[in-house]
Amino acid sequence: MIALTELLPLSDTLTPADQAELTQIVREAYVDATPIYPIGGGTSLDFGLAPRDAGLGLAMRGLKRVIDYPARDMTITVEAGITIDALAASLAKERQWLPIDLPNAHQATLGGVIATNTYGARRYGNGTMRDYVIGIAAVDGRGSMFHGGGRVVKNVAGYDFCKLLTGSLGTLGVITQVTLKVKPRPECSRFVACRVRNLQAADRLLESMVTTRTMPAAVELLIGPAWQNDAALGQLPAGEIGVVVVGFEGTEPEVAWMVSTLFNQWHRLGGNPVAVPDDQTEGLWTRLAQFPVEGSAALVIKASLRPSRTQNFIAGILQIDPSCDIQSHAGNGNVIARLSQFGSGGISNLLVGALQPAAVEHDGKVIVLSYNQPSELTRQAVWGSTGDAGSIMEEIKRRFDPKNLLNRGRFAYAG
Amino acid sequence: MSAATLPNLVDELRGVVGFDGVLAAHADLVVYECDGFVIEKNCPDVVVFPRTSQQVADIVRLANKHGVPFVPRGAGTSLAGGCLPVGGGVMIVLTRMKAIEEINLRDRYAIVQPGVVNAWLNQALKGTGYHYAPDPSSQGACTIGGNVATNSGGPHTLKYGVTVNHVLGVEAVLPDGRIVQVGGPTEDSAGLDLVGAIVGSEGTLAIVTKAWVRLTRDPEGCRTMLGVYDSVDDASNTISEIIGAGIIPAALEMMDQGILVAVEQAFNFGFPLDAQAILLIEVDGVEAGLDAQRDRIIELCKKCGAREVRQAKDAAERLLLWKCRKQAFGAVGRLSPSYCTQDGVVPRTKLPHISRRIREIGEKYSVRIVNVFHAGDGNIHPILLFDERDPEQIMRVLAASTEILDECINCGGSVTGEHGIGVEKIGFMHKMFTIEDIDAMERLRMAFNPDGRLSPCKMLPTAGACGMEQNGKPHEKAIVQIRPGRRAAL
Ligand SMILES: Cc1cc2nc3c(=O)[nH]c(=O)nc-3n(C[C@H](O)[C@H](O)[C@H](O)COP(=O)(O)OP(=O)(O)OC[C@H]3O[C@@H](n4cnc5c(N)ncnc54)[C@H](O)[C@@H]3O)c2cc1C
Ligand SMILES: Cc1cc2nc3c(=O)[nH]c(=O)nc-3n(C[C@H](O)[C@H](O)[C@H](O)COP(=O)(O)OP(=O)(O)OC[C@H]3O[C@@H](n4cnc5c(N)ncnc54)[C@H](O)[C@@H]3O)c2cc1C
């Protein structure tokens, strides 16, 4: 892990103990016009554009309490600096969970995950953070604390700040407290995997997921050296491009039925499915979650496309870097690629000239998750276009953070 | 609007949508003086029926040019007065934009125009193995545009979520007349989640002219049960027990005796009329797990004191059960000349408490209250029965409603689970939110709607929210046109 100071130009770092102290710090920073960099677990401070102006680090690790956990209501209210593992441990006591896969869960914080709207393979069956945050409190760029939503699972009073703040990279407010909707933990979990010779074969299997009678939790397509010798998936023979992996969760009889149904379904399509051994299931979930942050790739990108077009997009990436590692949340049309080589045209050229047009062609977009030369990155390369609604986003930013102090210059706003 | 500008505006609007796309005669306008919330009424000055997004944009530009407010309207089933044309002006009715533009099963979305009625989309999807999950009880009439604007829910919200969980993108006309697309057929949009901001904004941020909605696979099977109880408490406790056991039913609805009687008279289902409460419980998913879930649920119902637990014996009986539930409001007409439906939410575990309090409050104000709850979500719909010819009764109904909603807030809940704030519940916003919260909401609104001409005086209680300032002065008409005697309803 790179040292904090290399990632952020910090003049100082403060660690408030509670929301009141945090509010006070932001208020003073507003008066002095000091830029502020919220810091959660520090696992992805390189996500987004590199900050240029020196400012104050606002470490969230002091705000980590569980405020209220009425398990029978399936909601929990916590402070935003709680780590994902600590949150999971609280929920596990009541056999509940937040079914979103996250890398570095021992370190990553809930606030950071919401600010970046991170998700993983279980998105197919469970959705994203956006679907789980039902109440939120944040401190805006002027040091004013505001709330949205509440503590009940159904609520349409007022504008939905939960949605607006999710994925805003801390640029509208420092998230201080969150109420989540949570779910019962499924009894059992199992994977079916099927190797494929080429992308067409993968597409046939994936297309069959549209009419399957099963209800998968995850539908993944895995390609590249990272998956060639996976403990759960076995050795991928030469001549096969990758493996389609489907995860099921539920009660024992449900999962058993779904596994055998998918087996039959894929057999009929000429595939040769295998079941991942039970003792490898947990490990595979973890590797699926960790994929975006593992390895030493120069560049990690994430594309969101129409599911039917993901294979075309992947073919394009494989032309650029035949040995790149790919994890596609194929059922959702997401592609995460770790590239180690991408020609000499420079990062902007690669993204703006090749990958973004390819994504747009499939009604999607592509963003940079990380790049080993962050200072080379441009806004257009990292975030692509915000479309014709960009001016509204800038107007919102201006009204929540008039001095542009929060994560200045790092997000998708122009100017 | 001044008598001088109106004829010009009407002519110009006819230039945009044609002669048959504009209503300007008073007798025609009266139809649009309110929606399902009938306590406040006000006529728009003109009603327009666009057929395209471009026409919507042109209408908005004209309204701006003449400096008059404008308000979008779908089917007008809103129960919070979202369609009330405060300050008169132009009402933009989107029901002629009713095409389903695309159904794409491979990518699991459909593109619909705002005037598509919720149930039409599901009719169009019949046989495909997919459906559109949000199912408000008004689904036979309400539009997807209205659902998006109010973030509608329905009985299946418990498992499948509300509208915002199923909208991938929208095309919208901004209050300055620009047409923008946020989100689209793919799942993540760039930058801020404006889809999430627009959904549920009750038509105060933008006019939705198209929506990309997520399609959901039909479950392979379902089991529908009816738990019969001698006490509301036992029924409420069952809900907590089921969820505590880690089962998330597709739906968990409660009706009390008062409403049962009305529903039984209307549909002859065969409900036991002496039961104090019934629970309608449905689980769905792959067949393999369903019998086990059903057995477990029956066991939990019995453990909590259910007198009997019936099962829908076939698809026809299941449909009839759902019809009884979904048309429960309609059946209430048999009980009383007028009724007022509340829409509070409490944490699920507080249902026994709130049920008791509703009973006490009804007694305190001598108001008869019957109940139908989206119990799995803690969303309660107490229905207060009265005779609107008796002003004294109205006052008692209003007082009782307020006390019930205050109690929801005290329990950590909300004053609206699905109907919205509209004009009806503006008075509660300060009870639920701080001044800073409301100020933040105001700033969000101003980012979209700086002149405040789009749907003024809705949702936010601050004066500025009315946004009806003209030359720095508040727009007098906004206040004058609302009948003063009816403001009590707020
Ligand atoms: C290689 C890589 C892959 C990733 N994959 C994905 C992915 O697939 N999808 C995706 O969207 N993200 C992805 N991320 C982001 C990352 O996984 C999560 O953001 C991480 O879990 C954040 O947690 P953290 O507490 O460590 O946040 P930090 O690293 O501390 O902070 C992350 C960002 O969030 C802001 N922030 C932190 N806490 C708060 C708060 N309380 N309020 C407001 N802002 C705050 C920070 O200012 C910073 O900009 C990836 C990151 C990396 C490096
Ligand atoms: C019997 C009955 C049962 C009901 N049951 C439920 C239920 O189970 N769940 C539930 O959530 N609601 C329910 N409702 C309330 C209502 O049906 C919903 O709020 C519905 O979504 C409104 O749709 P509509 O087309 O009638 O919208 P309208 O009533 O016409 O408008 C509602 C609001 O949306 C705005 N609006 C409408 N169209 C647009 C657009 N295209 N762009 C921007 N803003 C727009 C309007 O300005 C207004 O503020 C019920 C109502 C009735 C009468």
Side-chain angles (χ1 to χ4, degrees), chain A residues 185-388:
Chain A
R185 264 196 105 87
E187 232 169 63
C188 130
S189 171
R190 220 161 285 161
F191 284 103
V192 176
C194 189
R195 291 166 182 165
V196 285
R197 290 199 160 277
N198 50 39
L199 289 168
Q200 289 75 9
D203 203 44
R204 249 190 323 277
L205 298 185
L206 292 168
E207 188 171 13
S208 80
M209 299 315 291
V210 175
T211 49
T212 181
R213 293 161 69 206
T214 65
M215 299 264 170
V219 178
E220 303 275 292
L221 168 60
L222 311 171
I223 294 174
W227 304 105
Q228 231 131 43
N229 199 2
D230 183 89
L233 302 171
Q235 177 98 34
L236 199 65
E240 297 194 338
I241 193 172
V243 53
V244 178
V245 176
V246 171
F248 294 111
E249 291 182 315
T251 60
E252 183 64 45
E254 277 169 354
V255 171
W257 181 85
M258 291 195 285
V259 166
S260 77
T261 303
L262 188 65
F263 256 78
N264 294 335
Q265 180 180 325
W266 279 359
H267 263 301
R268 281 198 302 276
L269 287 168
N272 188 18
V274 294
V276 168
D278 274 358
D279 61 352
Q280 290 293 332
T281 305
E282 222 22 71
L284 183 54
W285 279 119
T286 307
R287 286 193 294 287
L288 290 174
Q290 282 292 121
F291 174 86
V293 301
E294 294 287 298
S296 55
L299 171 70
V300 186
I301 56 153
K302 186 182 83 176
S304 308
L305 315 151
R306 275 166 51 181
S308 61
R309 309 289 186 79
T310 48
Q311 280 60 261
N312 283 338
F313 186 81
I314 290 171
I317 296 183
L318 288 172
Q319 271 175 8
I320 294 164
D321 179 0
S323 64
C324 77
D325 291 318
I326 292 175
Q327 172 185 33
S328 169
H329 307 314
N332 295 89
N334 301 122
V335 178
I336 298 163
R338 304 192 314 216
L339 290 87
S340 42
Q341 56 182 68
F342 43 87
S344 54
I347 185 80
S348 284
N349 192 35
L350 172 74
L351 281 152
V352 180
L355 294 177
Q356 286 174 1
V360 169
E361 198 182 312
H362 306 305
D363 290 324
K365 66 153 191 164
V366 58
I367 61 168
V368 172
L369 290 185
S370 72
Y371 179 52
N372 61 5
Q373 308 290 328
S375 58
E376 283 175 27
L377 290 168
T378 63
R379 184 170 52 81
Q380 181 61 39
V382 175
W383 295 109
S385 163
T386 47
D388 43 16

Side-chain angles (χ1 to χ4, degrees), chain B residues 6-277:
Chain B
L6 184 58
N8 284 342
L9 176 59
V10 169
D11 280 347
E12 285 171 328
L13 289 171
R14 286 191 175 128
V16 173
V17 296
F19 196 84
D20 77 330
V22 178
L23 298 177
H26 183 72
D28 295 332
L29 298 176
V30 177
V31 176
Y32 298 92
E33 67 177 358
C34 68
D35 49 25
F37 176 71
V38 297
I39 296 181
E40 292 254 14
K41 293 180 177 161
N42 192 45
C43 265
D45 290 301
V46 53
V47 177
V48 205
F49 300 87
R51 290 182 189 278
T52 64
S53 310
Q54 189 55 52
Q55 288 181 354
V56 175
D58 291 343
I59 294 164
V60 166
R61 289 220 170 84
L62 285 176
N64 279 319
K65 178 178 141 194
H66 290 277
V68 299
F70 45 97
V71 57
R73 177 177 164 120
T77 66
S78 166
L79 294 168
C83 299
L84 183 74
V86 178
V90 181
M91 176 170 281
I92 304 171
V93 182
L94 295 142
T95 47
R96 287 188 187 171
M97 293 176 68
K98 58 181 180 199
I100 298 173
E101 293 185 3
E102 183 184 348
I103 288 179
N104 185 328
L105 299 182
R106 174 67 172 94
D107 294 327
R108 294 190 295 160
Y109 70 81
I111 306 178
V112 296
Q113 292 182 349
V116 169
V117 169
N118 177 297
W120 297 350
L121 179 56
N122 278 325
Q123 274 153 21
L125 286 165
K126 240 199 180 107
T128 63
Y130 281 80
H131 68 288
Y132 175 60
D135 61 339
S137 300
S138 52
Q139 70 195 131
C142 64
T143 65
I144 305 251
N147 295 169
V148 169
T150 55
N151 194 13
S152 285
H156 286 84
T157 294
L158 174 57
K159 180 165 172 185
Y160 293 99
V162 284
T163 298
V164 74
N165 305 119
H166 300 271
V167 178
L168 294 167
V170 296
E171 178 197 78
V173 173
L174 297 177
D176 63 7
R178 275 181 298 157
I179 302 174
V180 297
Q181 180 181 330
V182 294
T186 50
E187 287 188 342
D188 304 300
S189 51
L192 295 177
D193 182 5
L194 296 189
V195 177
I198 290 174
V199 177
S201 64
E202 302 190 27
T204 63
L205 300 185
I207 301 176
V208 175
T209 51
K210 195 189 276 195
W212 284 258
V213 298
R214 164 66 70 235
L215 302 178
T216 304
R217 274 213 60 108
D218 296 345
E220 211 189 15
C222 64
R223 299 287 182 277
T224 311
M225 287 148 275
L226 188 69
V228 180
Y229 292 85
D230 289 327
S231 97
V232 173
D233 272 12
D234 290 349
S236 312
N237 287 331
T238 306
I239 295 157
S240 277
E241 282 299 312
I242 292 173
I243 290 183
I247 300 172
I248 304 188
L252 229 175
E253 303 278 305
M254 184 160 93
M255 295 194 261
D256 75 0
Q257 192 199 21
I259 200 137
L260 260 191
V261 171
V263 168
E264 184 58 24
Q265 280 172 4
F267 302 107
N268 297 311
F269 180 81
F271 291 118
L273 293 179
D274 61 331
Q276 290 304 302

Side-chain angles (χ1 to χ4, degrees), chain A residues 110-126:
Chain A
L110 183 62
V113 167
I114 293 172
T116 52
N117 195 16
T118 308
Y119 55 82
R122 283 187 175 91
R123 173 177 196 164
Y124 189 80
N126 293 290

Side-chain angles (χ1 to χ4, degrees), chain B residues 152-400:
Chain B
S152 285
H156 286 84
T157 294
L158 174 57
K159 180 165 172 185
Y160 293 99
V162 284
T163 298
V164 74
N165 305 119
H166 300 271
V167 178
L168 294 167
V170 296
E171 178 197 78
V173 173
L174 297 177
D176 63 7
R178 275 181 298 157
I179 302 174
V180 297
Q181 180 181 330
V182 294
T186 50
E187 287 188 342
D188 304 300
S189 51
L192 295 177
D193 182 5
L194 296 189
V195 177
I198 290 174
V199 177
S201 64
E202 302 190 27
T204 63
L205 300 185
I207 301 176
V208 175
T209 51
K210 195 189 276 195
W212 284 258
V213 298
R214 164 66 70 235
L215 302 178
T216 304
R217 274 213 60 108
D218 296 345
E220 211 189 15
C222 64
R223 299 287 182 277
T224 311
M225 287 148 275
L226 188 69
V228 180
Y229 292 85
D230 289 327
S231 97
V232 173
D233 272 12
D234 290 349
S236 312
N237 287 331
T238 306
I239 295 157
S240 277
E241 282 299 312
I242 292 173
I243 290 183
I247 300 172
I248 304 188
L252 229 175
E253 303 278 305
M254 184 160 93
M255 295 194 261
D256 75 0
Q257 192 199 21
I259 200 137
L260 260 191
V261 171
V263 168
E264 184 58 24
Q265 280 172 4
F267 302 107
N268 297 311
F269 180 81
F271 291 118
L273 293 179
D274 61 331
Q276 290 304 302
I278 58 160
L279 276 186
L280 175 56
I281 308 164
E282 187 162 284
V283 284
D284 68 14
V286 294
E287 273 292 338
L290 288 176
D291 284 344
Q293 280 193 38
R294 175 202 57 202
D295 295 346
R296 183 91 177 92
I297 286 173
I298 292 176
E299 190 189 309
L300 291 169
C301 290
K302 296 243 166 88
K303 183 183 138 199
C304 292
R307 186 162 92 188
E308 60 172 315
V309 186
R310 300 184 189 175
Q311 279 185 67
K313 60 177 185 298
D314 52 27
E317 193 167 286
R318 171 178 178 262
L319 279 182
L320 182 57
L321 255 180
W322 274 113
K323 186 172 170 185
C324 293
R325 165 60 190 88
K326 292 213 170 183
Q327 300 193 2
F329 290 107
V332 171
R334 291 166 183 268
L335 299 178
S336 161
S338 312
Y339 65 91
C340 157
T341 307
Q342 279 311 333
D343 176 37
V345 194
V346 294
R348 257 181 300 256
T349 46
K350 295 274 170 44
L351 282 171
H353 169 80
I354 197 77
S355 304
R356 243 185 334 271
R357 289 290 298 133
I358 290 171
R359 213 154 46 232
E360 287 163 14
I361 292 166
E363 280 159 18
K364 173 173 164 191
Y365 292 99
S366 306
V367 174
R368 184 163 173 226
I369 303 177
V370 298
N371 291 288
V372 39
F373 293 175
H374 298 303
D377 302 306
N379 186 191
I380 60 169
H381 288 321
I383 303 173
L384 294 82
L385 308 175
F386 65 103
D387 184 341
E388 71 179 351
R389 291 162 299 191
D390 177 358
E392 197 268 325
Q393 270 192 53
I394 295 180
M395 295 314 291
R396 280 190 278 120
V397 165
L398 292 173

